[in-house]
Amino acid sequence: MALTLVNPRGLPEVDAYHQMSIATGSKLVFLAGQVAWDAEGATVGEGGLAAQVERCYLNIGTALAEVGGSFDDVAKITVYVVDWTPDKMPLFLERVARAAAKLGGAPVPRGGLRPG
């Protein structure tokens, strides 16, 4: 699936993401929410944000690879974190980067990551 990222005239351009993505192609895949479970169903990083973030992104990468895709094909990722505070963002991004290194690419949509 090809994605075209657009910032329409009349909407602000933001460094972290694009206002719109247009997907074209013949395959649309919806992935169930991923949690920090390994292939055997054991919890990874019980009670720790860092290891759980990395495991979730690796799980997404595994699922994408199964259908011949990669994070380059992802239009949107929604992340839910219990007890989120902005000071956790550096740790979150560090583990996303570690997952990226293991997967050989950036595990965020091409439009960027929008912290919420």
Side-chain angles (χ1 to χ4, degrees):
M1 174 172 61
L3 291 176
T4 303
L5 303 175
V6 179
N7 281 316
R9 286 187 303 263
L11 295 178
E13 288 194 29
V14 180
D15 290 337
Y17 65 94
H18 288 79
Q19 295 287 353
M20 180 182 347
S21 61
I22 303 164
T24 58
S26 62
K27 186 186 293 187
L28 186 60
V29 176
F30 295 88
L31 177 62
Q34 294 300 296
V35 295
W37 292 344
D38 65 15
E40 289 75 41
T43 300
V44 173
E46 180 106 25
L49 174 66
Q52 291 183 3
V53 167
E54 186 174 342
R55 179 77 258 162
C56 289
Y57 273 87
L58 291 173
N59 289 351
I60 295 168
T62 298
L64 291 169
E66 178 69 21
V67 296
S70 73
F71 280 92
D72 288 341
D73 301 307
V74 173
K76 179 182 178 185
I77 293 177
T78 302
V79 177
Y80 295 101
V81 178
V82 174
D83 297 323
W84 178 258
T85 55
D87 63 298
K88 293 178 183 173
M89 184 59 94
L91 180 61
F92 177 87
L93 293 175
E94 173 190 320
R95 286 307 181 109
V96 169
R98 280 180 54 149
K102 291 179 180 178
L103 294 167
V108 294
R110 285 189 359 225
L113 180 66
R114 182 179 179 198

